[in-house]
Amino acid sequence: MRFDIVTLFPEIFSGFVGESLLRKAIDKRRLEVVTHDLRNWSKDKHQKVDDRPYGGGPGMVIKVEPVVECIEEIRRLHAEPGELILLTPQGERLTQPLVEQLAEFPRLILLCGRYEGFDQRVVDLLQPRELSIGDYVLNGGEVAAMVVIDTVMRLIPGVLGDEQSARSDSFSQENRGLEAAQYTRPRSYRGCDVPEVLLSGDHAEIDAWRQSQSYHKTLSRRADLVGSEGDSPRRPETNEGEKREPVN
Ligand code: 6GU
């Protein structure tokens, strides 16, 4: 899968792209990440890509020509035209099912906004899919683009190493609930012990305990995830949860 990132701040991505999991996936040729500096498409000698808004008001607006011409040019860099995504707080909210859809595309082009936004004609002409990562305001789309790459890449076969672990993550199609608590050695630390059931070696019992934990944790923290019939997490068959220690 290929990601093209269009941004005014390509340096923001260098540490992220060098990070080990992403770096390894790139080295294994499972992923390709290419940044493009929007200023390279400026027609201005000062490489300006923004201007004052018509009608007045605070802030600056990113101009239409550099964006449209940049997207046209980078589309031609690769056989796949790519799914164009504009990162904006006004977009559709990114959720795990949407991440799963995005992971099916061979190429995503991520357009990062800044300042007060883009000239509306960017959207009218290019008709991107508009995405937001949540109900809060970022200074720009760069952090949101990293969230898209981070969430999508883990679903690409061969990136995580263990595909099953991504499929059963919290919020995935397979598991809409929160995950059960995990423990590793030591068995006891400062008076806090690993739950006995995890040491029992009884896998059916362990599974039931984890399902019950997941269900009760989801209900207490994120009741909004326990929706209508058919939605996970389902209530476990047993009443294990009631007699166990409370979930944290
Ligand atoms: Cl994608 N961009 C900005 N600027 N703010 C956001 C966002 C995106 N998603 C949530 N807040």
Side-chain angles (χ1 to χ4, degrees):
M1 181 167 196
R2 171 170 168 135
F3 294 94
D4 288 87
I5 306 160
V6 177
T7 171
L8 287 167
F9 300 95
E11 329 77 64
I12 292 179
F13 292 88
S14 58
F16 176 67
V17 170
E19 178 266 333
S20 75
L21 195 60
L22 191 47
R23 185 80 261 158
K24 278 187 195 143
I26 293 168
D27 291 345
K28 285 194 287 184
R29 299 190 184 282
R30 308 272 177 185
L31 288 184
E32 210 179 335
V33 181
V34 186
T35 55
H36 308 273
D37 187 339
L38 185 60
R39 277 183 238 280
N40 294 339
W41 283 268
S42 165
K43 298 210 191 308
D44 189 90
K45 64 171 184 288
H46 300 110
Q47 292 201 302
K48 240 176 80 107
V49 291
D50 58 353
D51 208 340
R52 296 189 311 271
Y54 276 121
M60 300 288 270
V61 177
I62 299 187
K63 293 161 70 64
V64 60
E65 313 99 297
V67 178
V68 169
E69 287 158 34
C70 167
I71 298 300
E72 283 174 349
E73 193 173 329
I74 69 173
R75 280 208 153 129
R76 291 195 293 268
L77 294 176
H78 195 262
E80 295 289 345
E83 178 77 356
L84 180 62
I85 295 174
L86 173 61
L87 283 320
T88 161
Q90 283 136 48
E92 179 188 353
R93 178 95 63 91
L94 187 71
T95 58
Q96 193 65 27
L98 184 48
V99 169
E100 289 169 20
Q101 272 183 40
L102 296 178
E104 302 293 324
F105 289 102
R107 184 185 187 197
L108 297 178
I109 302 176
L110 305 172
L111 179 52
C112 305
R114 275 271 153 177
Y115 311 117
E116 305 304 308
F118 291 94
D119 186 303
Q120 177 59 33
R121 291 165 293 183
V122 166
V123 172
D124 298 344
L125 290 166
L126 298 174
Q127 305 196 346
R129 188 191 279 253
E130 295 178 74
L131 289 189
S132 159
I133 61 165
D135 294 341
Y136 37 78
V137 180
L138 302 168
N139 284 315
E142 284 76 12
V143 169
M146 289 188 235
V147 169
V148 171
I149 295 171
D150 194 292
T151 53
V152 169
M153 67 173 270
R154 7 194 350 282
L155 302 182
I156 307 301
V159 168
L160 272 196
D162 179 7
E163 238 189 292
Q164 185 52 38
S165 80
R167 295 274 163 225
S168 61
D169 279 343
S170 293
F171 314 113
S172 67
Q173 296 286 27
E174 214 168 274
N175 173 18
R176 303 267 195 94
L178 304 180
E179 266 158 44
Q182 301 257 52
Y183 298 86
T184 186
R185 290 184 290 183
R187 281 171 70 151
S188 186
Y189 183 68
R190 298 193 181 183
C192 290
D193 295 346
V194 175
E196 277 301 320
V197 59
L198 298 179
L199 310 172
S200 69
D202 182 339
H203 292 290
E205 179 80 355
I206 291 169
D207 246 32
W209 180 84
R210 286 187 171 145
Q211 270 188 46
S212 166
Q213 276 258 316
S214 165
Y215 177 78
H216 290 281
K217 194 174 188 175
T218 308
L219 205 60
S220 68
R221 294 187 184 185
R222 291 293 307 275
D224 59 300
L225 295 177
V226 190
S228 49
E229 200 55 36
D231 269 9
S232 287
R234 272 187 297 281
R235 192 177 208 297
E237 306 296 321
T238 60
N239 59 358
E240 295 293 332
E242 277 76 34
K243 55 181 196 227
R244 305 267 174 214
E245 63 275 22
V247 290
N248 304 304

